[in-house]
Amino acid sequence: MYKILIVEDDRVIGEQLEKQLREWGYAAERASDFQKIMEEFQDLQPSLVLLDIKLPFYNGFHWCAKIRETSHVPVIFISSASDSMNIVMAMNMGGDDFIAKPFDMNVLIAKIQALLRRTYDMSSPANLLTYQGVTLDLNASSVSYEGQQKDLTKNEYRILQVLMENQGHIISREALMQRLWETNEFIDDNTLTVNMTRLRHTLEELGLKDFIITRKGSGYQI
């Protein structure tokens, strides 16, 4: 599971980010001591950092430079100080992206997903996700189990990919629909239901009954 460190001193924004990211299946943690960001960074060993510019004691540029002394972890700056000078400074200090406040959460999630894919997926020696004997081939968009293989539609593949990337965690319907929206096609609640039914039927043909569990009022889980 990807871990995200949120360095944001606005409590409301920080809590919103933490809540939304956890709903997407990320292990999100907010920094608690703005004098000891590096200690918290080392303790968490995050996959990505969301970093505000205006912070108590030292600004985000300072902490990004400190992070870059020891790590190439992706850093996304989030700030209301979105003039060209600050954006250029953020990139020069080692930032990977910049998003201005107030921001659309869906846009931020899309940026996080894209940056995580660019950083980590390409380094994987085999584009496979596995769970309890089930293998999802990310290149072929197919799923296999006990020597049998089935091809998946684009939407079925994306649904199963999200669930297998977040093994054991509940993923909300909203989070799944947002992931499906990456296809640039309109996805509504009914479309998700239809695709989930088809995916479950395909898995049952492989002998995987109840591989995807519905958590009433919460979402889905494998």
Side-chain angles (χ1 to χ4, degrees), residues 79-119:
S79 178
S80 57
S82 57
D83 57 275
S84 58
M85 183 179 294
N86 278 306
I87 294 173
V88 170
M89 179 69 76
M91 298 302 104
N92 287 340
M93 296 306 291
D96 296 279
D97 207 337
F98 190 106
I99 186 165
K101 298 177 184 175
F103 51 81
D104 184 317
M105 195 66 199
N106 291 331
V107 173
L108 178 60
I109 291 291
K111 283 179 174 285
I112 289 171
Q113 290 174 337
L115 191 49
L116 288 172
R117 282 197 298 270
R118 289 200 302 269
T119 304

Coordinates of all heavy atoms in Angstrom, one line a residue, residues 79-119:
S79 N -0.3 24.6 -2.3 CA -0.2 26.0 -1.7 C -1.1 27.0 -2.3 O -1.4 26.9 -3.5 CB 1.2 26.4 -1.8 OG 1.4 27.7 -1.3
S80 N -1.5 28.0 -1.5 CA -2.3 29.1 -2.1 C -1.3 30.1 -2.7 O -1.8 31.0 -3.4 CB -3.1 29.8 -1.0 OG -2.3 30.2 0.1
A81 N 0.0 30.0 -2.4 CA 1.0 30.9 -2.9 C 1.4 30.3 -4.3 O 2.4 29.7 -4.5 CB 2.2 31.0 -2.0
S82 N 0.5 30.5 -5.3 CA 0.6 29.8 -6.6 C 1.1 30.8 -7.7 O 0.9 30.5 -8.9 CB -0.7 29.2 -7.0 OG -1.7 30.2 -7.0
D83 N 1.8 31.8 -7.3 CA 2.4 32.7 -8.3 C 3.6 32.0 -9.0 O 4.1 31.0 -8.5 CB 2.9 34.0 -7.7 CG 3.9 33.8 -6.6 OD1 3.4 33.6 -5.5 OD2 5.1 33.8 -6.9
S84 N 4.0 32.5 -10.2 CA 5.0 31.8 -11.0 C 6.3 31.6 -10.2 O 7.0 30.6 -10.3 CB 5.2 32.5 -12.3 OG 5.6 33.9 -12.0
M85 N 6.6 32.6 -9.4 CA 7.9 32.5 -8.6 C 7.9 31.3 -7.7 O 8.9 30.6 -7.6 CB 8.2 33.8 -7.8 CG 9.5 33.8 -7.1 SD 9.8 35.4 -6.2 CE 9.9 36.5 -7.6
N86 N 6.8 31.2 -6.9 CA 6.8 30.0 -6.0 C 6.7 28.7 -6.7 O 7.3 27.7 -6.3 CB 5.5 30.2 -5.1 CG 5.8 31.1 -3.9 OD1 6.7 30.9 -3.2 ND2 5.0 32.1 -3.8
I87 N 6.0 28.6 -7.9 CA 6.0 27.4 -8.6 C 7.4 27.0 -9.1 O 7.8 25.9 -9.0 CB 5.0 27.5 -9.8 CG1 3.5 27.7 -9.3 CG2 5.1 26.3 -10.7 CD1 2.5 28.0 -10.3
V88 N 8.1 28.0 -9.7 CA 9.4 27.8 -10.2 C 10.3 27.4 -9.0 O 11.1 26.4 -9.1 CB 10.0 29.0 -10.9 CG1 11.5 28.9 -11.2 CG2 9.2 29.3 -12.2
M89 N 10.2 28.0 -7.9 CA 11.0 27.7 -6.7 C 10.8 26.3 -6.3 O 11.7 25.5 -5.9 CB 10.8 28.7 -5.6 CG 11.5 28.4 -4.3 SD 13.3 28.7 -4.5 CE 13.3 30.5 -4.4
A90 N 9.5 25.9 -6.3 CA 9.1 24.5 -5.8 C 9.8 23.5 -6.7 O 10.3 22.5 -6.3 CB 7.6 24.4 -5.9
M91 N 9.7 23.7 -8.0 CA 10.4 22.8 -9.0 C 11.9 22.8 -8.8 O 12.5 21.7 -8.8 CB 10.0 23.1 -10.4 CG 8.5 23.1 -10.7 SD 7.7 21.5 -10.4 CE 6.8 21.8 -8.9
N92 N 12.5 23.9 -8.6 CA 13.9 24.0 -8.4 C 14.4 23.4 -7.2 O 15.6 22.9 -7.1 CB 14.4 25.5 -8.5 CG 14.3 26.1 -9.8 OD1 14.3 25.4 -10.8 ND2 14.3 27.4 -9.9
M93 N 13.6 23.3 -6.1 CA 14.0 22.7 -4.9 C 13.7 21.2 -4.9 O 14.0 20.6 -3.9 CB 13.2 23.4 -3.7 CG 13.5 24.8 -3.5 SD 15.2 25.2 -3.3 CE 15.5 24.5 -1.7
G94 N 13.2 20.7 -6.0 CA 13.1 19.2 -6.1 C 11.7 18.7 -6.1 O 11.4 17.5 -6.0
G95 N 10.7 19.7 -6.2 CA 9.3 19.2 -6.2 C 9.0 18.6 -7.6 O 9.6 18.9 -8.6
D96 N 8.0 17.7 -7.6 CA 7.6 17.0 -8.8 C 6.4 17.5 -9.5 O 6.1 17.4 -10.6 CB 7.4 15.5 -8.5 CG 8.7 14.8 -8.1 OD1 9.5 14.4 -8.9 OD2 8.9 14.6 -6.9
D97 N 5.5 18.2 -8.6 CA 4.3 18.8 -9.2 C 3.8 19.9 -8.2 O 4.3 20.0 -7.1 CB 3.2 17.7 -9.3 CG 2.2 18.1 -10.4 OD1 2.1 19.3 -10.8 OD2 1.6 17.2 -11.0
F98 N 2.9 20.7 -8.6 CA 2.4 21.8 -7.8 C 0.9 21.9 -8.1 O 0.4 21.9 -9.2 CB 3.1 23.1 -8.2 CG 2.8 24.2 -7.3 CD1 3.8 24.7 -6.5 CD2 1.6 24.9 -7.4 CE1 3.6 25.8 -5.6 CE2 1.3 26.0 -6.5 CZ 2.3 26.4 -5.7
I99 N 0.1 22.0 -7.0 CA -1.3 22.2 -7.2 C -1.8 23.4 -6.3 O -1.4 23.4 -5.1 CB -2.1 20.9 -6.9 CG1 -3.6 21.2 -7.3 CG2 -2.0 20.5 -5.5 CD1 -4.4 19.9 -7.4
A100 N -2.5 24.3 -6.8 CA -2.9 25.5 -6.1 C -4.1 25.3 -5.3 O -5.1 24.6 -5.7 CB -3.1 26.7 -7.1
K101 N -4.1 25.9 -4.1 CA -5.3 26.0 -3.3 C -6.2 27.2 -3.7 O -5.7 28.2 -4.1 CB -5.0 26.1 -1.8 CG -4.2 25.1 -1.2 CD -3.9 25.5 0.3 CE -2.9 24.5 1.0 NZ -2.6 25.0 2.3
P102 N -7.5 27.0 -3.6 CA -8.3 25.8 -3.3 C -8.2 24.8 -4.5 O -8.3 25.3 -5.6 CB -9.7 26.3 -3.0 CG -9.8 27.5 -3.9 CD -8.4 28.2 -3.9
F103 N -8.1 23.6 -4.2 CA -8.0 22.6 -5.3 C -9.2 21.6 -5.3 O -9.9 21.4 -4.3 CB -6.7 21.8 -5.2 CG -6.5 21.2 -3.8 CD1 -7.1 20.0 -3.4 CD2 -5.7 21.8 -2.9 CE1 -7.0 19.4 -2.2 CE2 -5.5 21.2 -1.6 CZ -6.1 20.1 -1.3
D104 N -9.4 21.1 -6.5 CA -10.4 20.0 -6.7 C -9.8 18.7 -6.2 O -8.7 18.3 -6.7 CB -10.8 20.0 -8.1 CG -12.0 19.0 -8.4 OD1 -11.9 17.8 -7.8 OD2 -12.9 19.3 -9.2
M105 N -10.4 18.0 -5.3 CA -9.8 16.8 -4.7 C -9.7 15.7 -5.8 O -8.7 15.0 -5.8 CB -10.8 16.2 -3.6 CG -10.1 15.1 -2.8 SD -8.7 15.8 -1.8 CE -7.9 14.3 -1.4
N106 N -10.6 15.7 -6.8 CA -10.4 14.7 -7.9 C -9.2 15.0 -8.7 O -8.5 14.1 -9.2 CB -11.7 14.8 -8.8 CG -12.9 14.3 -8.1 OD1 -12.8 13.4 -7.2 ND2 -14.1 14.8 -8.5
V107 N -8.9 16.3 -8.9 CA -7.6 16.6 -9.6 C -6.4 16.2 -8.9 O -5.5 15.7 -9.4 CB -7.6 18.2 -10.0 CG1 -6.3 18.5 -10.6 CG2 -8.7 18.5 -10.9
L108 N -6.4 16.5 -7.6 CA -5.3 16.1 -6.7 C -5.1 14.6 -6.8 O -4.0 14.1 -6.9 CB -5.5 16.6 -5.3 CG -4.3 16.2 -4.3 CD1 -3.0 16.7 -4.8 CD2 -4.7 16.6 -2.9
I109 N -6.2 13.8 -6.6 CA -6.1 12.4 -6.7 C -5.5 11.9 -8.0 O -4.6 11.0 -8.0 CB -7.5 11.7 -6.4 CG1 -7.9 11.9 -5.0 CG2 -7.4 10.2 -6.8 CD1 -7.1 11.2 -3.9
A110 N -6.0 12.5 -9.1 CA -5.4 12.1 -10.4 C -3.9 12.4 -10.5 O -3.2 11.6 -11.1 CB -6.2 12.9 -11.5
K111 N -3.5 13.5 -10.0 CA -2.1 13.8 -10.0 C -1.3 12.8 -9.1 O -0.2 12.4 -9.5 CB -1.8 15.3 -9.5 CG -2.2 16.4 -10.5 CD -2.0 17.7 -9.9 CE -2.2 18.8 -10.9 NZ -1.1 18.9 -11.9
I112 N -1.8 12.5 -8.0 CA -1.1 11.5 -7.1 C -1.0 10.2 -7.8 O 0.1 9.6 -7.8 CB -1.9 11.4 -5.8 CG1 -1.7 12.7 -4.9 CG2 -1.4 10.2 -5.0 CD1 -2.6 12.7 -3.7
Q113 N -2.1 9.7 -8.4 CA -2.1 8.4 -9.1 C -1.1 8.4 -10.2 O -0.3 7.5 -10.4 CB -3.5 8.1 -9.6 CG -4.5 7.8 -8.5 CD -5.9 7.6 -9.1 OE1 -6.2 8.1 -10.2 NE2 -6.7 6.9 -8.4
A114 N -1.1 9.5 -11.0 CA -0.2 9.6 -12.2 C 1.3 9.6 -11.7 O 2.1 8.9 -12.3 CB -0.5 10.8 -13.0
L115 N 1.6 10.3 -10.7 CA 2.9 10.4 -10.2 C 3.4 9.1 -9.5 O 4.5 8.6 -9.7 CB 3.0 11.5 -9.2 CG 4.4 12.0 -8.7 CD1 5.4 12.2 -9.9 CD2 4.4 13.2 -7.9
L116 N 2.5 8.4 -8.8 CA 2.9 7.1 -8.2 C 3.1 6.1 -9.3 O 4.0 5.3 -9.2 CB 1.7 6.6 -7.3 CG 1.6 7.4 -6.0 CD1 0.4 7.0 -5.2 CD2 2.9 7.2 -5.1
R117 N 2.3 6.1 -10.4 CA 2.5 5.2 -11.5 C 3.8 5.4 -12.2 O 4.5 4.5 -12.5 CB 1.3 5.3 -12.5 CG 0.0 4.6 -12.1 CD -0.9 4.4 -13.3 NE -1.3 5.7 -13.9 CZ -2.3 6.4 -13.5 NH1 -3.1 5.9 -12.5 NH2 -2.7 7.5 -14.1
R118 N 4.1 6.7 -12.5 CA 5.4 7.0 -13.1 C 6.6 6.6 -12.3 O 7.6 6.2 -12.8 CB 5.4 8.5 -13.4 CG 4.5 9.0 -14.5 CD 5.0 10.3 -15.1 NE 5.1 11.3 -14.1 CZ 4.1 12.2 -13.8 NH1 2.9 12.1 -14.4 NH2 4.3 13.1 -12.9
T119 N 6.4 6.8 -11.0 CA 7.6 6.5 -10.1 C 7.8 5.1 -9.8 O 8.9 4.6 -9.8 CB 7.4 7.3 -8.8 OG1 7.2 8.7 -9.0 CG2 8.6 7.2 -7.9

